């Protein structure tokens, strides 16, 4: 005898990558398209109008308007830019300035005590 519809629905959810062990709201990253708890993702919204659109990070998750979510990972940001996912996720008609969002992700993902400036890096092996 074939199992009922409820069993198909539960089995189908696990095959789609939905985890019932996640607590709280889940959102999809616009970069890698993986689902994650909303607390692990950065929410951003589009501010401005016309040719002056820019993506603003919503740290408090309270800014008005349609929001989208992204992992705080430069790889996810690059993938979202390459796929042009920001405009689709926010339903924008123009091209938004991604600079503020890129700067925030870079500052969040960089471990403390590191620098991007190669002039400050030692030229020699400190172990010698």
């Amino acid at each position: 005898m074939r199992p009922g519809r409820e069993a198909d629905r539960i089995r189908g959810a696990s095959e789609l990558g939905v985890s019932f062990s996640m607590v709280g709201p889940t959102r999809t990253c616009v970069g890698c398209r993986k689902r994650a708890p909303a607390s692990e993702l950065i929410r951003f919204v589009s501010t401005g109008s016309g040719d002056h659109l820019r993506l603003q990070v919503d740290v408090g998750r309270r800014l008005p308007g349609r929001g989208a979510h992204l992992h705080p990972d430069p790889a996810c940001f690059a993938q979202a830019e390459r796929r042009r996912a920001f405009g689709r996720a926010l339903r924008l008609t123009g091209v938004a300035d991604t600079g503020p969002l890129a700067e925030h992700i870079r500052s969040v993902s960089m471990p403390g005590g590191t620098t991007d400036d190669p002039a400050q890096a030692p030229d020699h092996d400190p172990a010698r």
Side-chain angles (χ1 to χ4, degrees):
M1 180 171 167
R2 187 174 190 285
R5 287 181 162 258
E6 187 66 28
D8 286 343
R9 199 170 331 153
I10 292 172
R11 188 176 323 118
S14 64
E15 290 170 2
L16 293 174
V18 176
S19 172
F20 290 113
S21 64
M22 287 188 209
V23 177
T26 59
R27 302 289 182 257
T28 302
C29 173
V30 297
C32 64
R33 305 290 299 155
K34 292 183 182 174
R35 293 180 59 89
S39 59
E40 293 179 8
L41 301 172
I42 295 172
R43 182 180 188 264
F44 60 94
V45 296
S46 175
T47 58
S49 63
D51 293 337
H52 304 289
L53 291 172
R54 51 176 249 179
L55 301 181
Q56 181 178 356
V57 177
D58 185 8
V59 179
R61 300 176 185 272
R62 295 288 183 254
L63 290 176
R66 184 175 181 83
H69 295 80
L70 186 70
H71 281 109
D73 181 14
C76 281
F77 178 80
Q79 195 171 11
E81 263 192 326
R82 186 173 51 250
R83 292 178 44 243
R84 300 181 191 151
F86 297 121
R88 275 195 310 276
L90 297 172
R91 297 182 183 168
L92 300 175
T93 56
V95 177
D97 175 24
T98 59
L101 180 61
E103 181 63 31
H104 179 78
I105 289 175
R106 193 173 68 82
S107 68
V108 169
S109 66
M110 184 183 303
T114 62
T115 180
D116 285 341
D117 189 7
Q120 294 180 4
D123 292 344
H124 64 282
D125 185 10
R128 289 187 188 188

